[in-house]
């Protein structure tokens, strides 16, 4: 009996303990849930702290920070769902019934798992984030492309000195850095330009390259562009200086002047020597220039030591850098090759890019390179400075190492331009195409230019203009000098751009062997009456004072493919132009030509013809003879009265630019006139058009433009009093359209018209005077739309609620609202998940916009709100936290004083 009783007690006790254990477990769940809620709030607080710190400094997060923030979003969202599920059941009556226990058990397990994930997230932050607390990087618009680390103890010492002088020493206003070309002066200053402390200390950091021939007005214009001020061509030096001074007033400013060749009065750049918040750092080849500009401190840049030069060489030549394991004999040869560069950084970097791969090269390959370097005759360059002659040999090898003759010629083409010029890549590639050096624009940009950049032979900058990425190409002075000599000796090319020549050089017509001649940007007034140069392929004479092309000049240039006479005051072309039977590229923009002779139209191989900004009065029927024409530019021809309907026979035309011309197109034929003029219907027969810019004098009817299915970019300007209230519905067929610009279109709306243009990524609506709202146009459903500009639409009162709705404008990055006097609101609110990619919101002269949409501060990629300060100060804020958050993102658009009439 006692044994039975004992077993019963044991069973009861074990069950009771299990019940107690379950009760304890159940009672612990609230504590775990409370900890989870605390951990969620903790993570959110960390994210808010990161964002506020970055926004206050105007910085973008580092990659590791972006990764962590993205990961925490997923973890916090999942944890909040677990906590909300627990909250739904926490008031349920506590019992030991199986279903409820299972529910609590699962909830407890999920809570513990969520806490564990957050713990791991916090550990990741502690281990991966920089220990110095610097979580952001400077805005890309302020940065200069540079090497990650500079090589050399001397350079590091000077960098430290320079930083101290710029940031801490009030007695230093001007610093000069001097030394020979390519020795690392610019690289040193790029480190200062991109320095986090410098960008925090100065309100403005402005970098300007001073070319040899630049005058003060050119420098002023570059600074205007840098701070996004409109430039007026006839602005005097004093007026421009006054504008700059008013902008810079009371703002800490660091001005970096690169490649200064002569004394510059910085007061003309808006800087007063009496202001201790302004500092200037100048880079020059000449110590005397630094002295003349009254530099308080100077740094002379020196060459690298042999071991430092070897380290820099290894960085460019080998995957493993200086730690690369290699055969002793090959290392000895590689060191000898690096030594040939005499410790000169630019030469070392350029030469290193030409080295063969270690895994696939033999000793003989390295021996051959060393032999070639030593065999190059330094006298080839006819340079007085011995050290420069020595450096040209490795640079010449870098040129020789380019894989093809076409690539080498494309590189030499850069030397045809002025020193320090930022060359437009599109124009450069057009010249390459004309000579047949590249097969397509794509190959020119993404193969040839990329290869040259990878070999450290050129620098590429990408600038955004009107929503387009514009590539600018630049070549270092030393490489340009080398290229000029190579072009002359190896390629029979005479490049004398920007040398202030007043006469056509004797050497240009004394030798009949020249293949290319560039005399652009000089002061040449007269061309030779006879020019016997039968091998000539390219002649670049733009930006001279030439008034006439003699009849005898083109007669024997029967191999010529490229002729550029733009920006000259010539009034007509000679009839002998017809002898240029192989001409492909004819550039005549900004000349004084009013009439083209019939002989000009007989140039049947011309693919590119530009007469923009000329007083041309007509395009006659003979235009149909130019069967090969692909690009015809007539923009801003304000005297152009007549265009023949035979323009429709240019079936290969890919680009037609007749923007803002006197001649305007009507929808149908003008049958009332004796001589028919081209109509829009003629243009619409050009089925291969990819870019079209037109001025219109009548509304466009339906079933007109639908045949232009290959069109990628369309600009339309309606003349005053033309009422185009609805766009033609057959525009929906333009499925390849990427960019659309509509000026003075009295559009009221075309329901859902834009929704069919799924490839559209840029839209500009300017002066649409009947437009009241953007609702119903279908813009929100365009999955590729990245940028919208709305300007001078006087009746526009609202954008529409879709601008704040989730699922609309999923890729929109920039929204620019300019001079909209009736606009009262963007949208009432921005839903969570709406405008997920918006980076820039620009609002200028929209003074009725007094409230910003609720939730705008939650856009995680919003970098800046641009506007004028007066408008920003009048914004009404209901939420102080939103105000503080967005205030850190505000960037002022500088207003110009009344006397500066743009």
């Amino acid at each position: 009996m006692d044994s039975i009783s004992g077993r019963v007690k044991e069973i009861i006790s074990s069950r009771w303990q299990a019940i107690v254990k379950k009760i304890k477990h159940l009672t612990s769940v609230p504590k775990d849930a409370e900890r989870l809620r605390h951990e969620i709030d903790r993570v959110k607080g960390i994210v808010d702290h990161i964002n506020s710190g970055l926004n206050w400094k105007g910085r973008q997060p580092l990659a590791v920070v972006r990764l962590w923030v993205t990961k925490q979003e997923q973890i916090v969202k999942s944890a909040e769902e677990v906590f909300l599920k627990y909250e739904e059941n926490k008031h349920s009556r506590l019992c030991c019934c199986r279903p409820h226990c299972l529910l609590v058990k699962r909830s407890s397990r999920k809570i513990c798992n969520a806490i564990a994930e957050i713990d791991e997230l916090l550990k990741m932050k502690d281990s991966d984030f920089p220990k110095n607390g610097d979580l952001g990087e400077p805005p890309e618009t302020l940065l200069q492309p540079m090497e990650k680390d500079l090589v050399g103890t001397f350079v590091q010492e000077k960098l430290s000195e320079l930083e101290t002088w710029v940031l801490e020493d009030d007695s230093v206003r001007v610093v000069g850095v001097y030394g020979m070309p390519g020795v690392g002066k610019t690289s040193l200053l790029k480190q200062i330009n991109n320095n986090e402390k410098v960008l925090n200390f100065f309100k403005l950091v402005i970098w300007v390259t001073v070319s040899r021939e630049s005058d003060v007005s050119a420098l002023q214009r570059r600074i205007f562009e840098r701070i996004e001020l409109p430039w007026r061509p006839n602005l005097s030096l004093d007026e421009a200086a006054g504008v700059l001074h008013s902008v810079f007033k009371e703002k800490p400013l660091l001005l970096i002047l690169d490649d200064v060749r002569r004394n510059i009065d910085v007061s003309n750049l808006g800087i007063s020597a009496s202001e201790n918040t302004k500092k200037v750092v100048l880079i020059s080849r000449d110590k005397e220039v630094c002295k003349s500009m009254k530099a308080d401190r100077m740094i002379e840049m020196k060459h690298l030591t042999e071991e430092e030069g070897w380290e820099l060489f290894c960085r460019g030549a080998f995957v493993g850098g200086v730690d690369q394991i290699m055969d002793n004999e090959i290392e000895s040869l590689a060191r000898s090759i690096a030594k040939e560069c005499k410790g000169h950084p630019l030469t070392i970097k350029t030469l290193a890019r030409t080295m063969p791969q270690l895994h696939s090269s033999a000793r003989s390959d390295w021996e051959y390179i060393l032999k070639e370097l030593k065999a190059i005759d330094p006298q080839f360059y006819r340079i007085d400075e011995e050290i420069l002659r020595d450096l040209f040999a490795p640079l010449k090898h870098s040129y020789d190492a380019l894989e093809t003759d076409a690539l080498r010629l494309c590189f030499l083409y850069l030397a045809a331009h002025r020193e320090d010029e930022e060359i437009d890549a599109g124009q450069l590639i057009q010249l390459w195409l004309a000579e047949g050096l590249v097969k397509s624009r794509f190959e020119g940009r993404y193969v040839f230019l990329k290869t040259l950049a990878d070999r450290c032979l050129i620098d590429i900058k990408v600038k955004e203009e009107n929503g387009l990425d514009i590539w600018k190409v630049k070549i270092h002075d030393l490489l340009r000098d080398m290229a000029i000599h190579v072009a002359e000796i190896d390629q029979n090319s005479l490049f004398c751009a920007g040398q202030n020549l007043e006469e056509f050089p004797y050497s240009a017509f004394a030798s009949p062997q020249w293949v290319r001649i560039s005399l652009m940007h000089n002061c040449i007034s007269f061309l030779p009456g006879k020019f016997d140069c039968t091998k000539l392929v390219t002649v670049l004479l733009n930006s001279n004072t030439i008034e006439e092309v003699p009849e005898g000049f083109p007669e024997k240039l029967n191999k010529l493919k490229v002729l550029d006479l733009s920006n000259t005051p010539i009034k007509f072309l000679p009839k002998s132009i017809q002898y240029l039977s192989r001409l492909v590229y004819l550039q005549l923009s900004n000349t004084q030509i009013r009439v083209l002779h019939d002989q000009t139209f007989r140039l049947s191989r011309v693919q590119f013809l530009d007469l923009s900004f000329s007083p041309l009065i007509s395009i006659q029927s003979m235009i149909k003879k130019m069967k090969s024409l692909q690009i015809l530019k007539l923009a801003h021809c304000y005297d152009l009265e007549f265009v023949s309907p035979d323009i429709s026979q240019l079936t290969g035309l890919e680009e037609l630019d007749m923007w803002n011309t006197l001649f305007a197109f009507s929808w149908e034929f003008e049958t009332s006139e004796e001589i028919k003029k081209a109509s829009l219907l003629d243009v619409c027969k050009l089925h291969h058009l990819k870019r079209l810019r037109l001025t219109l004098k009548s509304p466009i009817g339906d079933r007109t433009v639908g045949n232009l299915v290959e069109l990628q970019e369309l600009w339309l300007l309606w003349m005053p009093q033309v009422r185009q209230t609805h766009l033609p519905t057959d525009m929906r067929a333009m499925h390849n359209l990427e960019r659309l610009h509509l000026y003075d279109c009295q559009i009221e709306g075309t329901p859902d018209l834009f929704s069919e243009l799924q490839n559209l990524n840029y839209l500009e609506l300017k002066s649409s005077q009947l437009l009241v709202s953007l609702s119903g146009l279908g813009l929100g459903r365009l999955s590729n739309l990245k940028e919208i500009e709305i300007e001078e639409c006087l009746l526009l009162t609202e954008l529409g609620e879709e601008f704040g709705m989730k699922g609309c404008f999923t890729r929109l990055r920039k929204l620019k609202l300019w001079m909209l006097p009736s606009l009262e609101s963007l949208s009432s609110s921005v839903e969570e998940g709406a405008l997920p990619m918006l980076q820039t919101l620009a609002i200028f002269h929209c003074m009725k916009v007094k409230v910003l949409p609720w939730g705008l501060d939650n856009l995680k990629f919003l970098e800046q709100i641009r506007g004028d300060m007066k408008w920003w100060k009048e914004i009404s804020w209901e939420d102080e936290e939103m105000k503080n958050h967005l205030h850190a993102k505000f960037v002022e658009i500088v207003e110009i004083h009344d006397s500066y009439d743009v």
Side-chain angles (χ1 to χ4, degrees):
M1 190 72 179
D2 290 338
S3 60
I4 294 173
S5 176
R7 286 197 299 273
V8 171
K9 288 180 178 179
E10 186 178 340
I11 292 170
I12 293 172
S13 176
S14 62
R15 290 188 175 180
W16 176 250
Q17 289 176 2
I19 292 171
V20 170
K21 185 177 180 181
K22 287 183 178 180
I23 292 173
K24 286 182 178 180
H25 178 70
L26 291 174
T27 55
S28 70
V29 174
K31 295 180 180 178
D32 290 339
E34 181 62 25
R35 182 189 169 193
L36 177 61
R37 186 191 63 78
H38 173 77
E39 293 298 312
I40 290 172
D41 291 341
R42 180 184 174 190
V43 172
K44 287 184 174 181
I46 291 172
V47 173
D48 288 341
H49 178 72
I50 291 172
N51 288 335
S52 61
L54 293 173
N55 292 333
W56 180 74
K57 294 180 180 180
R59 303 290 183 260
Q60 294 301 302
L62 297 170
V64 66
V65 177
R66 290 198 300 270
L67 178 64
W68 187 86
V69 170
T70 301
K71 190 174 183 65
Q72 68 82 25
E73 287 178 354
Q74 301 170 347
I75 292 176
V76 167
K77 182 179 179 181
S78 177
E80 286 180 329
E81 290 175 354
V82 171
F83 183 80
L84 288 174
K85 191 67 175 177
Y86 163 77
E87 285 286 285
E88 290 176 2
N89 298 296
K90 75 174 183 178
H91 298 298
S92 299
R93 184 173 58 87
L94 182 64
C95 69
C96 295
C97 65
R98 186 173 181 85
H100 187 73
C101 289
L102 286 173
L103 183 63
V104 173
K105 184 177 181 180
R106 290 171 186 161
S107 180
S108 174
R109 183 167 61 248
K110 290 181 179 180
I111 289 173
C112 291
N113 290 340
I115 292 173
E117 285 186 329
I118 291 177
D119 287 340
E120 285 299 316
L121 183 72
L122 296 174
K123 288 178 183 178
M124 180 193 299
K125 169 186 169 294
D126 293 337
S127 63
D128 293 351
F129 279 25
K131 303 305 179 186
N132 62 2
D134 186 3
L135 306 182
E137 52 193 11
E140 292 182 2
T141 53
L142 296 177
L143 295 179
Q144 290 287 332
M146 66 177 191
E147 301 169 48
K148 186 176 181 181
D149 298 303
L150 294 179
V151 173
T153 54
F154 171 82
V155 175
Q156 296 299 332
E157 289 173 2
K158 296 307 174 184
L159 183 62
S160 179
E161 283 184 12
L162 192 54
E163 184 179 314
T164 300
W165 293 339
V166 167
L167 295 175
E168 300 176 15
D169 195 337
D170 291 337
S171 67
V172 176
R173 302 288 176 81
V174 180
V175 178
V177 180
Y178 66 94
M180 67 172 295
V183 79
K185 307 183 297 294
T186 300
S187 296
L188 180 73
L189 265 298
K190 284 180 177 179
Q191 296 281 342
I192 292 295
N193 182 88
N194 294 7
N195 186 290
E196 181 78 11
K197 295 178 182 177
V198 171
L199 293 172
N200 280 332
F201 184 83
F202 292 99
K203 179 72 173 178
L204 287 171
V205 178
I206 299 176
W207 182 294
V208 182
T209 300
V210 186
S211 59
R212 176 184 294 171
E213 67 280 358
S214 281
D215 56 15
V216 174
S217 179
L219 290 179
Q220 291 175 333
R221 183 171 64 252
R222 291 179 188 178
I223 295 176
F224 269 61
E225 292 171 355
R226 168 63 181 80
I227 60 178
E228 299 181 356
L229 283 181
W231 174 259
R232 193 182 68 196
N234 60 346
L235 202 63
S236 71
L237 294 181
D238 290 340
E239 287 174 330
V243 173
L244 292 175
H245 181 73
S246 65
V247 172
F248 296 155
K249 189 178 181 181
E250 299 179 358
K251 292 180 181 178
L253 165 70
L254 175 63
L255 177 62
I256 301 175
L257 300 174
D258 189 13
D259 199 14
V260 181
R261 305 291 181 89
R262 57 183 176 80
N263 183 28
I264 297 173
D265 185 355
V266 295
S267 66
N268 286 324
L269 306 181
I271 297 176
S272 172
S274 62
E275 294 180 275
N276 57 15
T277 59
K278 310 291 188 294
K279 295 203 176 187
V280 177
V281 180
L282 65 104
I283 306 170
S284 180
R285 301 179 182 184
D286 192 345
K287 181 179 181 180
E288 294 305 314
V289 172
C290 299
K291 287 182 177 180
S292 69
M293 291 188 65
K294 300 179 180 179
D296 301 300
R297 297 287 189 276
M298 290 189 290
I299 294 174
E300 180 184 6
M301 294 299 295
K302 299 178 180 179
H303 290 80
L304 301 175
T305 65
E306 185 175 328
E307 201 57 34
E308 290 169 346
W310 171 244
E311 179 185 345
L312 184 59
F313 181 85
C314 289
R315 283 189 185 183
F318 310 126
V319 175
V322 74
D323 297 323
Q324 178 71 51
I325 299 173
M326 66 187 86
D327 178 86
N328 289 337
E329 291 183 344
I330 289 182
E331 180 177 343
S332 177
L333 289 166
R335 282 182 175 273
S336 297
I337 291 170
K339 192 175 180 179
E340 288 293 314
C341 299
K342 309 292 190 287
H344 188 266
L346 174 66
T347 310
I348 293 170
K349 289 185 291 185
T350 306
L351 181 63
R353 294 288 186 177
T354 70
M355 294 300 104
Q357 297 294 320
L358 283 175
H359 63 82
S360 60
S361 62
R363 173 181 173 177
S364 59
D365 297 328
W366 296 84
E367 289 176 338
Y368 175 79
I369 293 172
L370 184 59
K371 180 181 178 181
E372 286 289 301
L373 283 173
K374 292 182 176 295
I376 295 174
D377 181 7
Q379 298 303 319
F380 173 84
Y381 300 102
R382 304 190 302 277
I383 293 180
D384 295 332
E385 298 177 58
E386 181 180 349
I387 191 165
L388 282 179
R389 288 203 307 269
D390 292 339
L391 295 178
F392 270 23
L395 292 177
K396 174 64 161 56
H397 174 79
S398 300
Y399 162 78
D400 291 334
L402 294 172
E403 286 79 0
T404 65
D405 290 339
L407 186 55
R408 283 187 281 273
L409 280 172
C410 286
F411 168 69
L412 295 181
Y413 239 112
L414 279 85
H417 294 75
R418 288 177 297 175
E419 186 177 79
D420 289 325
E421 182 177 353
E422 286 190 347
I423 306 165
D424 183 271
Q427 296 175 8
L428 181 66
I429 293 169
Q430 195 65 52
L431 293 172
W432 293 351
L433 284 165
E435 275 212 33
L437 301 177
V438 296
K439 298 176 183 177
S440 66
R441 292 180 182 84
F442 181 89
E443 182 184 43
R445 177 167 295 199
Y446 297 105
V447 179
F448 280 49
L449 284 179
K450 186 178 185 302
T451 299
L452 294 175
D454 290 344
R455 300 292 177 85
C456 294
L457 290 168
I458 63 172
D459 290 322
I460 296 176
K461 289 183 179 179
V462 181
K463 298 182 178 181
E464 187 175 304
E465 296 180 10
N466 294 324
L468 283 177
D469 286 339
I470 306 297
W471 285 29
K472 298 289 186 179
V473 184
K474 194 173 181 181
I475 182 173
H476 192 281
D477 295 347
L478 190 59
L479 285 165
R480 178 179 178 270
D481 291 341
M482 182 271 293
I484 287 174
H485 291 292
V486 173
E488 181 177 345
I489 304 302
D490 283 1
Q491 298 295 335
N492 292 322
S493 298
L494 179 64
F495 294 154
C496 301
Q499 294 188 6
N500 295 318
L501 300 178
E502 295 183 359
E503 295 182 355
F504 198 84
Y506 174 78
S507 58
F509 58 86
S511 171
Q513 304 301 315
W514 295 123
V515 176
R516 294 171 193 83
I517 292 177
S518 172
L519 300 172
M520 63 173 75
H521 295 281
N522 281 295
C523 305
I524 299 170
S525 300
F526 300 98
L527 297 178
K530 292 185 179 181
F531 195 35
D532 190 358
C533 204
T534 56
K535 294 184 178 181
L536 205 59
V537 173
T538 293
V539 176
L540 305 175
L541 297 169
N542 52 298
S543 302
N544 278 283
T545 56
I546 302 166
E547 295 184 4
E548 181 182 0
V549 180
E551 282 289 340
F553 186 81
E555 283 183 350
K556 295 186 178 181
L557 305 183
N558 56 354
K559 288 188 177 179
L560 198 68
K561 292 183 177 180
V562 174
L563 178 59
D564 189 342
L565 292 165
S566 60
N567 297 301
T568 63
I570 61 170
K571 295 181 173 61
F572 58 87
L573 293 176
K575 294 181 179 180
S576 57
I577 195 79
Q578 63 184 312
Y579 296 124
L580 304 182
S581 58
R582 298 190 184 184
L583 196 66
V584 175
Y585 179 100
L586 182 55
Q587 173 59 270
L588 301 169
S589 65
N590 202 24
T591 59
Q592 295 301 311
I593 294 176
R594 292 184 61 81
V595 176
L596 289 178
H597 298 299
D598 289 350
Q599 287 82 357
T600 306
F601 294 115
R602 290 173 183 166
L603 300 173
S604 60
R605 294 191 182 183
V606 168
Q607 298 175 9
F608 177 97
L609 176 60
D610 189 351
L611 285 148
S612 301
F613 294 95
S614 70
L616 190 73
I617 60 174
S618 69
I619 293 291
Q620 299 293 339
S621 177
M622 287 290 288
I623 188 71
K624 64 187 176 185
K625 298 287 185 180
M626 305 184 88
K627 293 291 187 182
S628 301
L629 205 57
Q630 296 177 2
I631 297 176
L632 177 58
K633 294 190 174 186
L634 302 167
H636 303 282
C637 290
Y638 302 119
D639 295 334
L640 185 63
E641 298 177 345
F642 177 79
V643 175
S644 168
D646 289 328
I647 195 173
S648 64
Q649 296 188 36
L650 301 177
T651 55
L653 207 61
E654 296 180 1
E655 178 176 343
L656 176 61
D657 189 350
M658 294 185 63
W659 185 254
N660 203 11
T661 57
L662 176 62
F663 183 89
F665 287 89
S666 60
W667 173 28
E668 297 177 329
F669 295 111
E670 296 183 61
T671 55
S672 60
E673 298 186 17
E674 293 183 5
I675 302 177
K676 289 185 178 180
K677 296 181 179 180
S679 72
L680 185 58
L681 294 176
D682 293 310
V683 174
C684 292
K685 294 176 183 178
L686 303 173
H687 298 167
H688 296 297
L689 279 175
K690 293 180 172 59
R691 187 172 189 263
L692 177 61
R693 289 168 34 111
L694 292 183
T695 305
L696 301 169
K697 63 179 180 181
S698 73
I700 306 175
D702 280 336
R703 298 181 301 281
T704 304
V705 297
N707 291 328
L708 301 177
V709 293
E710 295 186 23
L711 207 61
Q712 298 173 359
E713 185 173 346
L714 176 61
W715 296 60
L716 296 175
L717 167 63
W718 281 265
M719 294 182 69
Q721 312 305 321
V722 178
R723 292 178 61 85
Q724 181 80 54
T725 57
H726 290 77
L727 293 172
T729 55
D730 57 342
M731 279 185 64
R732 292 188 173 96
M734 296 180 179
H735 298 302
N736 292 309
L737 197 64
E738 297 177 358
R739 300 175 56 78
L740 179 60
H741 304 253
L742 302 176
Y743 280 48
D744 294 306
C745 177
Q746 308 305 322
I747 182 174
E748 295 175 343
T750 303
D752 287 336
L753 169 70
F754 295 107
S755 63
E756 300 290 328
L757 307 177
Q758 286 301 315
N759 279 317
L760 198 69
N761 58 55
Y762 182 94
L763 174 66
E764 180 182 18
L765 295 176
K766 185 171 183 177
S767 299
S768 296
Q769 305 303 354
L770 301 180
L771 192 62
V772 176
S773 173
L774 300 184
S775 295
L777 295 180
L779 295 177
R781 297 196 293 276
L782 298 181
S783 58
N784 287 301
L785 191 59
K786 297 177 182 177
E787 186 166 349
I788 299 176
E789 292 193 27
I790 312 294
E791 304 177 44
E792 300 176 23
C793 299
L794 301 183
L795 299 183
L796 188 71
T797 58
E798 63 169 7
L799 301 186
E801 287 303 311
E802 62 182 351
F803 274 87
M805 293 172 57
K806 183 178 181 180
C808 297
F809 301 102
T810 54
R811 292 193 181 181
L812 190 66
R813 296 178 182 177
K814 292 187 178 181
L815 176 59
K816 178 179 176 182
L817 306 172
W818 223 248
M819 297 185 181
L820 307 174
S822 301
L823 185 66
E824 298 178 352
S825 68
L826 312 187
S827 62
S828 58
S829 64
V830 177
E831 298 177 356
E832 184 177 355
L835 300 173
M837 303 297 290
L838 190 67
Q839 298 174 353
T840 300
L841 174 61
I843 304 176
F844 189 64
H845 281 191
C846 304
M847 299 306 293
K848 285 190 177 181
V849 177
K850 300 296 185 182
V851 179
L852 295 178
W854 184 267
L856 187 66
D857 54 327
N858 293 326
L859 301 183
K860 61 180 180 180
F861 287 109
L862 186 64
E863 297 173 1
Q864 54 182 226
I865 300 176
R866 301 178 62 84
D868 52 286
M869 184 60 73
K870 180 182 178 182
W871 164 77
W872 184 252
K873 289 180 178 179
E874 294 178 0
I875 292 292
S876 176
W877 303 96
E878 296 181 3
D879 185 273
E880 193 68 22
E881 185 177 347
M882 177 178 173
K883 174 183 177 181
N884 294 335
H885 184 81
L886 293 181
H887 186 72
K889 298 178 184 291
F890 178 72
V891 178
E892 181 183 2
I893 297 176
V894 181
E895 286 272 30
I896 308 300
H897 55 71
D898 294 338
S899 62
Y900 182 66
D901 183 20
V902 180

